[in-house]
Amino acid sequence: VSTAVLFAVCLVSVCARYYIRIGIQKEFALDDAFLAFGTVCLIAAMVTLYINLDCLYLFEAMEYAPSHTNFTPQSIDIIVKYRRLGIASLELTWVAMMAVKFSFLVLFRRLIDRIPPLIRYWRVVVAFNLAVTVYGALVYCLPCPHFSRTKIASCRGQNAMHKGIQFALSHLVLDLFGDLLSTHLYSISIDLESEDKVDSEAHIGL
């Protein structure tokens, strides 16, 4: 229920943004395109998740409590299907999140357009976040890169869970560092925008 509520809030917010940008401002820029792409990915992720929600509990039981779970050939087939579609849903959600981040980065680029050193810094931030995007898409598969019926059992138990935690922590650290770089760039962009406004007002006053 909470996921559905937050998903609805996101859609309403996006629709309000596009109403202002397209309906009122009559503008559609690259940052809007990134946001639109992220919205499409988020919708696809939520649809995929809810279609396979019934398989979630069986998969979690197999991965975290295999000794207490009774498996049949049919349950294994369900788990294989969920693993494929579940990872696809997670990756789509991750891409949607990064699309929003790149939308902001494109906006920041316009604010620092006249300052070459900051443009170079912007490129470093974009390159780092691109690398994090690729790693984040792979991190859901790396702990157990098996999707076949015969090898899915290797994803069971504490070893697979430990690997998953390790990859998740490294992913979290890289993502947070990328957020810090983006936030720093944002603060510089806002300061420059404020200085430009102050200079313009001073010039008008003179």
Side-chain angles (χ1 to χ4, degrees):
V1 176
S2 60
T3 304
V5 171
L6 292 175
F7 179 56
V9 171
C10 288
L11 290 183
V12 170
S13 302
V14 170
C15 290
R17 173 193 168 95
Y18 281 120
Y19 172 74
I20 295 172
R21 292 284 288 171
I22 300 175
I24 298 177
Q25 298 180 347
K26 308 297 182 183
E27 183 181 356
F28 188 85
L30 184 57
D31 55 319
D32 300 305
F34 270 108
L35 186 60
F37 175 71
T39 303
V40 171
C41 289
L42 182 61
I43 292 173
M46 292 297 103
V47 170
T48 304
L49 176 64
Y50 280 106
I51 288 176
N52 297 278
L53 196 59
D54 291 340
C55 305
L56 171 64
Y57 302 105
L58 184 59
F59 179 80
E60 294 295 321
M62 178 182 179
E63 187 163 359
Y64 298 109
S67 59
H68 301 285
T69 309
N70 183 26
F71 299 105
T72 65
Q74 183 181 6
S75 65
I76 297 297
D77 291 336
I78 293 174
I79 289 171
V80 171
K81 177 183 176 183
Y82 171 76
R83 178 167 171 77
R84 292 172 181 170
L85 296 178
I87 288 179
S89 177
L90 290 171
E91 290 180 344
L92 285 168
T93 304
W94 169 246
V95 171
M97 293 169 57
M98 294 306 295
V100 175
K101 185 180 292 188
F102 282 111
S103 174
F104 282 105
L105 288 173
V106 170
L107 175 62
F108 301 161
R109 176 64 174 79
R110 295 206 301 266
L111 298 177
I112 61 172
D113 192 50
R114 300 181 303 276
I115 308 174
L118 284 181
I119 293 175
R120 288 192 290 270
Y121 178 57
W122 177 86
R123 289 171 180 168
V124 171
V125 175
V126 169
F128 181 83
N129 279 287
L130 279 173
V132 173
T133 301
V134 175
Y135 180 72
L138 295 174
V139 77
Y140 300 108
C141 305
L142 292 176
C144 186
H146 303 300
F147 297 91
S148 64
R149 191 176 186 277
T150 56
K151 294 183 178 181
I152 192 69
S154 62
C155 298
R156 298 170 55 184
Q158 295 295 323
N159 186 38
M161 184 171 66
H162 181 65
K163 286 183 179 179
I165 292 173
Q166 287 181 325
F167 279 110
L169 287 175
S170 62
H171 180 207
L172 177 62
V173 170
L174 291 173
D175 186 32
L176 287 176
F177 186 68
D179 288 342
L180 288 174
L181 291 177
S182 301
T183 303
H184 182 234
L185 183 62
Y186 168 76
S187 63
I188 295 175
S189 303
I190 295 300
D191 289 342
L192 291 174
E193 188 73 9
S194 300
E195 289 177 4
D196 288 342
K197 289 182 179 179
V198 171
D199 293 340
S200 298
E201 291 174 358
H203 181 71
I204 292 172
L206 292 174

